[in-house]
Amino acid sequence: MASVALSEAEKVYIVHGVQPLKITVLKEDLRVDGRGCEDYRCVDVETDVVSNTSGSARVKLGHTDILVGVKAEMGTPKLEKPNEGYLEFFVDCSANATPEFEGRGGDDLGTEIANTLYRIFNNKSSVDLKSLCISPREHCWILYVDVLLLECGGNLFDAISIAVKAALFNTRIPRVRVLEDEEGSKDIELSDDPYDCIRLSVENVPCIVTLCKIGYRHVVDATLQEEACSLASLLVSVTSKGVVTCMRKVGKGSLDPESIFEMMETGKRVGKVLHTSLQNILHKEESLGTKRQKVGFLG
């Protein structure tokens, strides 16, 4: 993962901003950039940015820049789930994001992020996979979700989860009819009308809230500098209703049970606000229709 080198003095400055010394009269909950411990940086979200995809989105969170494209293709359902379609994730860590990703430097991180996405989508409630089934045991829609890291400025997992949800919201899958002749053979007919399509419900798609432990406090949406001061973080996957679907601890440090409980509660509280803001942005953008001005990637 992208990292930044800090001197001990800089680390002390950041840690004391999050948890001031008791002898000072400074108010707690004030980070180096002026945010509170539970505040996100400004999030820029733009959908429908890549023309040759079924859905796409670009998210900029501080200096973190993520592009996600979703491609719907026909395939065969998995043997253990014959009545469902499925999602496949691929994460590409661009060498332009940080020099550390040159060559095969980003492969391990890409695999880690993809495995995390598989984990948070590995339940029946996130996406209605049965709606992706065309003909049981024979045909289904497979959604290939490609994530491209354009720039790394801290808090990758949160930014990626936001971008994936926005891209799935933007995804349009052609409507299909299955025609059966007298001999019992089946034919698949795709609608020619670009507006005759299936939209996915993303109401239950979770977002990841990463909580970085700095000293005895924890912060959300950590910058690269703050991540350098943290030895342990907790990734909390939260739905719009504040339900935790999975958790994962990262980092070499340890977390005591009381801290984990506090971080979970913060994750649920912050996650609900994040979902509400994201849904408002997505619906507002879609309501503009063709009047929407594209200002982002390939705009």
Side-chain angles (χ1 to χ4, degrees), residues 113-164:
I113 294 170
N115 289 338
T116 301
L117 291 171
Y118 278 118
R119 235 182 117 183
I120 69 172
F121 280 90
N122 188 26
N123 59 71
K124 294 181 179 179
S125 59
S126 293
V127 176
D128 182 14
L129 297 177
K130 289 186 177 179
S131 67
L132 299 177
C133 182
I134 299 169
S135 178
R137 295 182 178 84
E138 295 178 352
H139 301 93
C140 71
W141 287 109
I142 305 169
L143 300 184
Y144 293 95
V145 182
D146 294 321
V147 180
L148 177 61
L149 276 62
L150 298 172
E151 190 175 356
C152 297
N155 201 20
L156 278 179
F157 286 92
D158 294 29
I160 288 171
S161 70
I162 293 170
V164 168

Side-chain angles (χ1 to χ4, degrees), residues 92 141 162 171 222 264:
D92 181 16
W141 287 109
I162 293 170
T171 298
M264 281 181 60

Side-chain angles (χ1 to χ4, degrees), residues 6-294:
L6 296 179
S7 67
E8 285 304 313
E10 288 174 309
K11 289 183 179 180
V12 169
Y13 182 70
I14 290 172
V15 172
H16 285 181
V18 175
Q19 53 159 51
L21 295 171
K22 292 184 179 179
I23 58 173
T24 66
V25 293
L26 292 174
K27 183 183 176 184
E28 290 191 11
D29 196 32
L30 185 64
R31 291 151 76 176
V32 174
D33 55 8
R35 290 181 291 150
C37 289
E38 297 184 8
D39 294 338
Y40 270 83
R41 290 167 289 180
C42 179
V43 184
D44 293 327
V45 180
E46 187 179 3
T47 59
D48 199 22
V49 290
V50 184
S51 59
N52 61 342
T53 59
S54 304
S56 59
R58 188 186 189 185
V59 168
K60 296 186 76 174
L61 177 59
H63 291 293
T64 297
D65 197 352
I66 308 295
L67 179 67
V68 174
V70 180
K71 192 77 172 175
E73 293 186 8
M74 274 195 208
T76 306
K78 294 180 179 179
L79 288 174
E80 64 273 18
K81 296 177 180 178
N83 300 320
E84 298 178 2
Y86 55 95
L87 283 72
E88 293 282 359
F89 294 97
F90 175 75
V91 181
D92 181 16
C93 301
S94 169
N96 294 328
T98 171
E100 296 169 30
F101 292 162
E102 288 183 5
R104 301 182 67 88
D107 286 2
D108 289 343
L109 176 60
T111 303
E112 181 187 354
I113 294 170
N115 289 338
T116 301
L117 291 171
Y118 278 118
R119 235 182 117 183
I120 69 172
F121 280 90
N122 188 26
N123 59 71
K124 294 181 179 179
S125 59
S126 293
V127 176
D128 182 14
L129 297 177
K130 289 186 177 179
S131 67
L132 299 177
C133 182
I134 299 169
S135 178
R137 295 182 178 84
E138 295 178 352
H139 301 93
C140 71
W141 287 109
I142 305 169
L143 300 184
Y144 293 95
V145 182
D146 294 321
V147 180
L148 177 61
L149 276 62
L150 298 172
E151 190 175 356
C152 297
N155 201 20
L156 278 179
F157 286 92
D158 294 29
I160 288 171
S161 70
I162 293 170
V164 168
K165 180 165 183 172
L168 289 174
F169 174 85
N170 181 242
T171 298
R172 289 163 171 80
I173 303 169
R175 198 172 294 278
V176 175
R177 287 196 304 163
V178 179
L179 306 175
E180 190 171 347
D181 60 20
E182 295 176 356
E183 297 177 357
S185 60
K186 294 178 181 178
D187 247 352
I188 293 176
E189 184 181 275
L190 265 73
S191 174
D192 295 331
D193 185 355
Y195 296 99
D196 186 19
C197 56
I198 301 168
R199 299 288 299 275
L200 292 172
S201 171
V202 297
E203 184 181 352
N204 293 321
V205 172
C207 282
I208 296 174
V209 178
T210 304
L211 300 112
C212 287
K213 191 76 183 289
I214 299 178
Y216 61 79
R217 298 291 302 274
H218 54 264
V219 301
V220 302
D221 187 24
T223 61
L224 278 179
Q225 290 76 14
E226 288 172 331
E227 287 179 352
C229 300
S230 174
L231 292 176
S233 300
L234 190 68
L235 274 60
V236 183
S237 171
V238 189
T239 67
S240 58
K241 296 177 182 176
V243 177
V244 175
T245 59
C246 76
M247 286 191 308
R248 179 168 165 253
K249 184 225 158 230
V250 294
K252 298 176 182 178
S254 60
L255 295 171
D256 61 88
E258 187 178 348
S259 292
I260 293 174
F261 178 78
E262 289 177 3
M263 293 164 91
M264 281 181 60
E265 291 302 309
T266 302
K268 288 193 283 187
R269 186 169 58 250
V270 172
K272 288 173 72 174
V273 177
L274 177 63
H275 276 287
T276 301
S277 301
L278 179 59
Q279 284 293 113
N280 290 340
I281 291 171
L282 294 175
H283 287 298
K284 183 179 179 181
E285 187 183 58
E286 188 174 44
S287 67
L288 295 174
T290 55
K291 297 178 182 178
R292 177 170 71 92
Q293 183 182 2
K294 292 187 179 181

